[in-house]
Amino acid sequence: MIRSVSASRSHSRTCVRPDDRRGPDLTSAAPPAPFRSVVAYVMPGASSFGLSVVANMFVDRTAMGLPAFDLTVCGDDLGPLQTDIGLVLQVEHRPEVMKGADLVILLPSDGRPLRLRPPTREAITAAHRRGAIVAAYDTGTFLLADTGLLAGRRATTDWSLAGQLAERHPEIDVQSESLYVDEGRLVTGAGAAAGMDMLLHLLRREHGTFVSTTVASEAMVTSRRESGQVYYVPAPASPVTQCDTDDRGVARLADVLAWTAARLEQRLTVTDLARRALMSPRTFARHFRAAMGTTPHAWLRDQRLDRAEELLETTDLPIQTVAQKVGFRSDGVLRDQFMKRHGVSPRAYRHAHHR
């Protein structure tokens, strides 16, 4: 449910700080409940795209078996607020509504200055002290930085604003090439479309792979882009690279991704994927990295892990069967990969999510 909305810019780029993680605690007896109440803060010039992203991420999908989210929009003043493209948003809640939020999102804005009013700053810090996750991306990171909560921590923003953020807030370790930076109950994202990556990451971290993958599928976006993926700024295309990135090349790559995702149980190699794309392995690897921001091998591993997470969350299949169904050679290999990603075994991961 969205309250107070009368209407609804992209680059490609996790870092988890375990001492301040609010996500599922896979070792304690009583992990904190995943967030349900979401409050999005807007200021004049708020991103219409950002509003639509948030609305799409947390729309009611309970009929699909997904959790229900309560989404509220708040601002400094009640009444009409103009967005960056001139749409009018009717704000019906002040920042005090953050007191009941599990997740607070500071949306980007074209408005200036990027400063918070004292009551808003206090509402955000109070929500964080109470245990809420506070997330921001693009220019919204400047607003989060204004609270002082990011002092001594890592954060990211749009690559074109990273220098400005670092100059204004030298106390922050600005990660200019990251899609998003996870500092537990403080999460920041890069520019525009990276807001979707950040929110999908939070859904995956808090609610599991099945929820994040289903939401991504409904929103028709990539379900996982790791923060390690850097902004890709292509050089002027030569005749050769132009051929590599034409519409036929994009269509072939899309076909390969779908074909591979349906055959994860098979022992596929990068050579198999390149053959499917009608490219040499070298050309395919170059084309793949340019389009996806990662290597074919890393992408295939992540797809297998994502699928394994989903099976562990939603089925009681033996661990060895899960490993076979996602294409790992043995449950030992699956365990090793789970330890690298989550720091826990598949069995402990399943136990935590079933709990």
Side-chain angles (χ1 to χ4, degrees):
M1 175 175 75
I2 305 177
R3 301 174 184 161
S4 316
V5 181
S6 59
S8 14
R9 305 169 283 201
S10 156
H11 305 287
S12 44
R13 324 194 238 178
T14 289
C15 309
V16 177
R17 184 169 176 144
D19 56 310
D20 189 27
R21 183 180 175 86
R22 187 192 175 278
D25 183 345
L26 302 178
T27 58
S28 71
F35 65 82
R36 293 297 184 95
S37 173
V38 183
V39 172
Y41 167 77
V42 294
M43 61 180 294
S47 166
S48 296
F49 177 72
L51 279 165
S52 67
V53 166
V54 170
N56 202 1
M57 289 292 122
F58 301 114
V59 73
D60 185 1
R61 294 186 176 92
T62 52
M64 304 174 65
L66 268 59
F69 297 103
D70 182 10
L71 175 59
T72 302
V73 176
C74 74
D76 295 314
D77 301 305
L78 303 184
L81 179 146
Q82 195 169 57
T83 70
D84 56 343
I85 62 173
L87 295 178
V88 175
L89 171 72
Q90 193 68 24
V91 177
E92 298 180 359
H93 299 275
R94 288 194 170 93
E96 289 77 16
V97 75
M98 296 178 190
K99 292 179 180 178
D102 302 321
L103 170 63
V104 173
I105 305 170
L106 308 183
L107 289 178
S109 170
D110 281 349
R112 296 296 185 273
L114 292 168
R115 304 283 187 186
L116 294 169
R117 294 183 186 179
T120 304
R121 187 182 301 114
E122 174 54 31
I124 295 169
T125 55
H128 182 261
R129 282 196 304 269
R130 188 181 44 78
I133 303 168
V134 183
Y137 68 98
D138 202 303
T139 56
T141 301
F142 284 76
L143 302 177
L144 181 51
D146 194 39
T147 66
L149 293 173
L150 290 175
R153 297 179 179 273
R154 297 162 302 157
T156 191
T157 185
D158 186 275
W159 68 272
S160 65
L161 300 171
Q164 183 180 340
L165 180 64
E167 182 178 358
R168 182 182 295 183
H169 296 280
E171 73 279 8
I172 299 174
D173 179 7
V174 178
Q175 307 281 305
S176 61
E177 293 188 335
S178 294
L179 267 174
Y180 51 83
V181 174
D182 185 336
E183 286 277 344
R185 289 188 294 111
L186 295 169
V187 182
T188 54
M196 288 186 284
D197 296 290
M198 179 188 74
L199 294 176
L200 285 170
H201 166 71
L202 280 170
L203 282 170
R204 185 169 60 249
R205 194 189 86 179
E206 299 282 311
H207 290 275
T209 301
F210 174 74
V211 172
S212 64
T213 302
T214 304
V215 170
S217 177
E218 281 283 290
M220 295 192 298
V221 295
T222 304
S223 62
R224 179 193 291 269
R225 289 199 297 164
E226 293 292 353
S227 184
Q229 295 179 218
V230 298
Y231 280 136
Y232 177 68
V233 183
S238 66
V240 174
T241 58
Q242 193 102 41
C243 287
D244 284 346
T245 56
D246 62 12
D247 289 343
R248 287 174 299 172
V250 172
R252 285 202 299 270
L253 181 56
D255 171 73
V256 170
L257 297 181
W259 180 83
T260 305
R263 293 166 175 79
L264 291 177
E265 75 283 358
Q266 299 180 15
R267 301 287 177 81
L268 298 173
T269 65
V270 175
T271 300
D272 295 325
L273 273 59
R275 186 180 298 117
R276 177 73 184 182
L278 304 178
M279 299 178 187
S280 70
R282 193 171 184 177
T283 299
F284 175 74
R286 183 176 69 249
H287 183 84
F288 192 98
R289 188 173 189 88
M292 302 296 291
T294 188
T295 66
H297 181 270
W299 177 85
L300 184 57
R301 178 204 61 215
D302 287 340
Q303 294 301 302
R304 285 175 167 149
L305 281 171
D306 287 351
R307 179 60 178 152
E309 289 171 6
E310 185 176 334
L311 290 173
L312 290 169
E313 293 167 14
T314 60
T315 76
D316 292 318
L317 291 172
I319 304 299
Q320 185 174 6
T321 303
V322 171
Q324 292 171 350
K325 281 185 171 292
V326 301
F328 286 120
R329 294 190 305 274
S330 67
D331 54 345
V333 175
L334 175 61
R335 177 186 172 84
D336 290 344
Q337 293 297 330
F338 250 76
M339 293 300 295
K340 289 177 182 178
R341 177 181 277 193
H342 296 290
V344 297
S345 69
R347 195 175 304 280
Y349 180 91
R350 165 178 276 169
H351 180 64
H353 278 274
H354 281 196
R355 235 178 8 198

